Amino acid sequence: MPNRYAYLGPEGTFTEAALRTLRPEAADAQLMPCAGVDAVFGAVRRGEADAGVVPLENSVEGGVPTTMAELINGDPLLITAEAAVPVEFTLFARDGAAVGDVKRVATHPHALAQCRRWLSRHLPDAELHTVSSTAAAAQSVAEPGSPYDAAICARIAGERYGLAALASGIGDRAEAATRFVQLSRPGPPPAPTGADRTSLVAFLSDDRPGALAELLDQFAVRGVNLTRLESRPTGDGLGRYCFCVDADGHVADAAVGEALMGLRRICTDVRFLGSYPRADETADLTPFLPARTTEADFQEAARWLEDIRAGRV
């Protein structure tokens, strides 16, 4: 098991909470808070950390751009686990402050986007500033001479940096959650559990009518359910995009494996990001599978083809 974990810091971030959810044994491991998502990727790529944890997507704001950019570019890393963490925001300030005293608020961009309605009602004239993480906002507010009066962050962060809570539950959506992933250097994926997810990036070979539909067909005709499809610019010019895909199933599953082979034939490139246990491991996808697309169906078809090739008709 890894014993050095890098994560988006400083201490007290939602990412640290996700790390402790993913790896309870991390209490006895070396934890390495990093100043940014790119620093987490760098620590894992250089071998300074055995694994890293970063946010991937939020139920309100969608994908985290820096994480997606790092997964698409640079030396490959694999996703080996995921966790979904409920996100609840609290407004923290130094002792003795009141809501009416707050003129400058610091937080992470995703947190700011999720608390705009509360801020517009209660702090309509406050200046809003974004920093690298919600915990970094709390840490900054706690420093002497801080330019900020308050931070929007997790309760663990505000308490860790000795701040006082002014208002809790200030998020616009009570059910908001963020999905975090564990990253490791390339190697065999975790064994199939029967409740897995496979992530990849597909680069279309050209820009033409039906190119995206052809990509999606590789999954549809094999009964593979997609849980996320997000376009990202390749950086090669305007109008050039790759597609980040999450699919239910494991690369060891016949249907998923065939879909990946199909993508490899029609795409310029396919970057495999990993097969790993889903956070919602109790979900039952069987009722949604099209007819004749179970693992047994694919195995029977493979045996039939093998017989034909061997002359057993």
Side-chain angles (χ1 to χ4, degrees):
M1 295 294 294
N3 56 22
R4 297 175 301 167
Y5 292 91
Y7 68 94
L8 176 61
E11 293 181 0
T13 57
F14 288 107
T15 311
E16 182 186 356
L19 167 57
R20 295 183 182 279
T21 298
L22 281 167
R23 294 290 176 254
E25 72 275 8
D28 299 320
Q30 178 184 349
L31 302 187
M32 303 166 54
C34 297
V37 166
D38 55 344
V40 177
F41 276 82
V44 179
R45 284 170 174 151
R46 292 189 300 269
E48 297 167 3
D50 301 310
V53 176
V54 294
L56 179 63
E57 65 170 329
N58 177 266
S59 61
V60 178
E61 285 297 292
V64 178
T66 307
T67 300
M68 295 311 307
E70 288 288 343
L71 285 171
I72 293 168
N73 303 298
D75 294 337
L77 293 179
L78 293 184
I79 299 172
T80 53
E82 70 172 11
V85 176
V87 176
E88 181 178 340
F89 298 106
T90 300
L91 183 71
F92 277 93
R94 292 179 288 276
D95 281 336
V99 173
D101 301 325
V102 175
K103 306 301 180 187
R104 294 168 61 88
V105 179
T107 192
H108 185 269
H110 276 205
L112 177 60
Q114 294 178 67
C115 298
R116 286 197 181 277
R117 287 204 294 267
W118 188 93
L119 289 167
S120 67
R121 288 196 302 268
H122 299 277
L123 294 171
D125 299 321
E127 295 180 15
L128 307 177
H129 299 266
T130 58
V131 294
S132 61
S133 69
T134 54
Q139 185 181 46
S140 180
V141 170
E143 294 173 350
S146 172
Y148 309 119
D149 302 312
I152 295 174
C153 59
R155 180 166 292 276
I156 184 177
E159 294 174 349
R160 182 165 296 184
Y161 292 105
L163 301 176
L166 300 184
S168 59
I170 66 174
D172 297 334
R173 294 178 181 266
E175 70 279 8
T178 296
R179 178 181 166 210
F180 296 85
V181 292
Q182 176 180 293
L183 305 167
S184 301
R185 289 181 294 282
T193 66
D196 303 292
R197 195 185 316 279
T198 293
S199 298
L200 57 93
V201 183
F203 297 81
L204 296 181
S205 56
D206 49 33
D207 183 14
R208 58 179 174 78
L212 178 57
E214 189 176 14
L215 182 156
L216 297 176
D217 279 347
Q218 304 306 313
F219 298 97
V221 299
R222 297 173 175 90
V224 178
N225 183 55
L226 300 187
T227 58
R228 187 171 70 98
L229 177 67
E230 181 177 346
S231 63
R232 294 285 305 171
T234 62
D236 296 330
L238 291 174
R240 304 295 298 179
Y241 291 89
C242 58
F243 292 87
C244 303
V245 178
D246 285 344
D248 284 322
H250 194 282
V251 67
D253 299 339
V256 176
E258 284 194 14
L260 265 60
M261 287 192 293
L263 289 179
R264 181 63 180 171
R265 291 194 301 271
I266 67 172
C267 293
T268 300
D269 192 17
V270 178
R271 175 171 280 205
F272 177 70
L273 299 180
S275 290
Y276 48 93
R278 292 198 315 264
D280 57 337
E281 59 185 18
T282 59
D284 182 10
L285 301 176
T286 304
F288 305 103
L289 289 176
R292 304 298 292 171
T293 58
T294 67
E295 184 72 9
D297 293 327
F298 278 93
Q299 291 175 355
E300 191 279 330
R303 287 192 295 268
W304 173 79
L305 182 59
E306 183 180 347
D307 286 342
I308 289 178
R309 287 173 171 170
R312 298 187 293 270
V313 295

